[in-house]
């Protein structure tokens, strides 16, 4: 009988953590959730964790959410001749590397929603959410 209340408590704790974050990874590795926002025709020029060819944005999102070091990704705006898109997983986001975030005609940048978007840091400070 004690097991059910414990499971309900753990479930409510997990749900609260997921609601507070647009990129949530369960510490046990059982599941992860990511809500990424697109910055069209922009590229974050940082070291890549890995590059892959994927069929769509959802595949790239799953790769990032499944990689503990991934915090954002660049993805080709158009598919190649085989219908695949370049997907680059990144270990940082545009708020931690603002000077490396640039306009780009062929790629989109995807990043988790962040309070830094509506309330950016002033005087060149780094926004960490």
């Amino acid at each position: 009988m004690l097991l059910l209340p414990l499971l309900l408590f753990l479930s409510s704790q997990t749900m609260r953590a997921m609601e507070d974050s647009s990129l949530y990874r369960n510490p046990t590795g059982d599941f992860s959730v990511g809500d990424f926002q697109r910055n069209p025709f922009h590229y974050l020029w940082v070291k890549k964790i890995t590059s892959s060819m994927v069929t769509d944005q959802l595949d790239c999102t799953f790769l990032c959410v499944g990689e503990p070091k991934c915090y954002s990704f660049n993805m080709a705006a158009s598919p190649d001749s085989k219908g695949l898109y370049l997907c680059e997983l990144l270990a940082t986001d545009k708020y931690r590397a603002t000077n490396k975030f640039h306009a780009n005609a062929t790629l989109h940048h995807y990043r988790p929603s962040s309070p830094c978007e509506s309330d950016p840091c002033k005087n060149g400070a780094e926004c960490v959410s």
Side-chain angles (χ1 to χ4, degrees):
M1 275 314 217
L2 286 174
L3 186 57
L4 184 58
L6 179 60
L7 288 174
L8 290 175
F9 172 76
L10 290 176
S11 295
S12 67
Q13 294 292 90
T14 300
M15 292 304 292
R16 196 170 306 119
M18 288 170 51
E19 289 171 358
D20 292 342
S21 175
S22 60
L23 179 58
Y24 175 79
R25 294 182 178 101
N26 187 315
T28 63
D30 294 341
F31 66 92
S32 302
V33 176
D35 178 21
F36 289 85
Q37 305 298 312
R38 182 173 75 156
N39 292 113
F41 300 105
H42 279 79
Y43 183 81
L44 188 59
W45 192 265
V46 295
K47 184 179 177 184
K48 298 166 204 60
I49 298 169
T50 188
S51 294
S52 303
M53 300 303 289
V54 298
T55 57
D56 58 25
Q57 185 255 324
L58 190 58
D59 285 346
C60 198
T61 301
F62 281 135
L63 288 175
C64 185
V65 170
E67 167 55 57
K69 294 178 185 173
C70 185
Y71 284 94
S72 67
F73 59 90
N74 296 319
M75 187 173 152
S78 301
D80 66 7
S81 61
K82 296 178 183 175
L84 299 175
Y85 296 82
L86 174 65
C87 169
E88 301 174 336
L89 303 187
L90 311 173
T92 190
D93 61 30
K94 74 176 196 172
Y95 302 106
R96 292 180 177 96
T98 55
N99 60 333
K100 301 198 183 230
F101 186 66
H102 304 285
N104 185 290
T106 60
L107 293 149
H108 300 315
H109 179 68
Y110 292 82
R111 44 109 188 128
S113 300
S114 170
C116 300
E117 192 73 27
S118 60
D119 190 20
C121 296
K122 306 289 188 252
N123 304 318
E126 182 178 282
C127 183
V128 179
S129 59

